Amino acid sequence: MNYTRVNRFQDFFEEGKYITLKNYLYNYLLRKKAVEKILEHDEIGLILEVGSGISPVMTRTEHIVYSDLSPTALRILRNTQRKGMYVATDAMHLPFKNSTFSHAIASEVLEHLRNDQEAINELARVTSSSGCLIVTFPHRKFYFANDDRFVNHFRRYELPEIADRLKDAGLRVISIQKVLGPLEKLTMSLVVFCFSVIQGSGQNKQIDKQNPMFINAFASIFKWLNRIYMVLAWLDAKIMPRSISTVLLIKAMKNHKD
């Protein structure tokens, strides 16, 4: 991963308000629910979540290693999560032995890496033969727009494309699920556009000067609006065909035993 691209987020990691709001986002909550649901009947050992940042999608176990390129993000996560282990590392060069983990998770990670195949190879290497790799990713190249550029996506994926990458790493797809539909794309494109306009006008500096009571009230409203919107986004993903889903989840296993 390119360090310059990651470092532009360091200022956000220092903001307590940002952490609170990010963990209320409807699309994050739906990804989290999707990952937890697909693992609920698995025999869980030690889990690895790469690119966890400050908002991991797996939080229901203590037998987990959170990894991220940013030590700052992991420090904040450790202070808020208070369980599991934390390793600052590049997803393309994981410092773990072969077959260390029963499951590995990469949620909205691969699209941020220049060499995504190398990261998939590493995830496959550290996952046991009886375990699984869980990946969520932005779907359909024709959706690539301002919101992708804003969060430093190198790409969006077509389903056959990512299936081939998994196959090249010795993995076979055993499940594909819809996570988010076109409503999410429309929403985030609009949000990023509005945020960019506000940021460019300098009005965001005025918001930062508001008192804690205003921030707490805003966070409470933001939380409940996202919970309501989460239901709409879930329905949208359910109703719309997979061919126009904006985020998909894949569960894959190894083709061979270690």
Side-chain angles (χ1 to χ4, degrees), residues 1 21 43 53 87 90 97 118 124 135 139 145 164 198 212 215 233:
M1 186 184 292
L21 298 182
E43 185 176 341
V87 178
D90 189 330
K97 294 181 179 179
E118 189 172 348
V135 176
H139 183 223
D164 285 344
I198 293 171
I215 296 300

Side-chain angles (χ1 to χ4, degrees), residues 58-223:
M58 176 52 64
T59 58
R60 293 186 176 181
T61 178
E62 295 184 358
H63 304 292
I64 188 165
V65 175
Y66 296 113
S67 75
D68 197 274
L69 191 58
S70 169
T72 304
L74 290 177
R75 174 177 54 80
I76 293 170
L77 179 60
R78 183 173 61 246
N79 291 338
T80 55
Q81 187 75 358
R82 299 187 182 279
K83 60 183 177 183
M85 293 168 280
Y86 305 83
V87 178
T89 185
D90 189 330
M92 295 173 286
H93 303 91
L94 297 173
F96 308 112
K97 294 181 179 179
N98 295 352
S99 304
T100 299
F101 303 95
S102 71
H103 294 74
I105 301 169
S107 182
E108 309 301 289
V109 172
L110 298 178
E111 63 274 14
H112 294 278
L113 306 176
R114 288 189 184 276
N115 193 337
D116 55 345
Q117 185 64 62
E118 189 172 348
I120 294 171
N121 292 345
E122 278 290 270
L123 289 166
R125 179 184 65 79
V126 301
T127 304
S128 69
S129 59
S130 60
C132 295
L133 171 62
I134 311 297
V135 176
T136 74
F137 59 94
H139 183 223
R140 301 313 304 262
K141 292 182 178 180
F142 61 72
Y143 280 132
F144 197 95
N146 64 328
D147 55 322
D148 293 284
R149 288 187 286 271
F150 184 79
V151 294
N152 288 332
H153 285 178
F154 281 111
R155 67 190 74 82
R156 297 182 72 90
Y157 294 93
E158 300 298 331
L159 185 54
E161 181 183 15
I162 197 159
D164 285 344
R165 280 167 165 74
L166 293 169
K167 183 179 179 180
D168 288 345
L171 297 161
R172 58 185 174 89
V173 175
I174 60 173
S175 178
I176 302 170
Q177 294 188 11
K178 297 182 291 183
V179 179
L180 291 162
L183 178 62
E184 186 265 348
K185 185 64 184 182
L186 179 64
T187 302
M188 295 311 297
S189 294
L190 181 60
V191 167
V192 168
F193 173 77
C194 293
F195 180 80
S196 298
V197 170
I198 293 171
Q199 191 177 47
S201 68
Q203 294 180 26
N204 59 318
K205 295 180 181 179
Q206 297 177 5
I207 295 174
D208 288 340
K209 295 178 182 179
Q210 298 293 338
N211 59 49
M213 289 184 63
F214 172 85
I215 296 300
N216 292 336
F218 177 79
S220 180
I221 294 170
F222 185 88
K223 173 183 177 180

Side-chain angles (χ1 to χ4, degrees), residues 38-47 58 61 63 102-103:
I38 205 166
L39 292 178
E40 64 183 357
H41 299 302
D42 285 15
E43 185 176 341
I44 302 295
L46 183 63
I47 298 176
M58 176 52 64
T61 178
H63 304 292
S102 71
H103 294 74

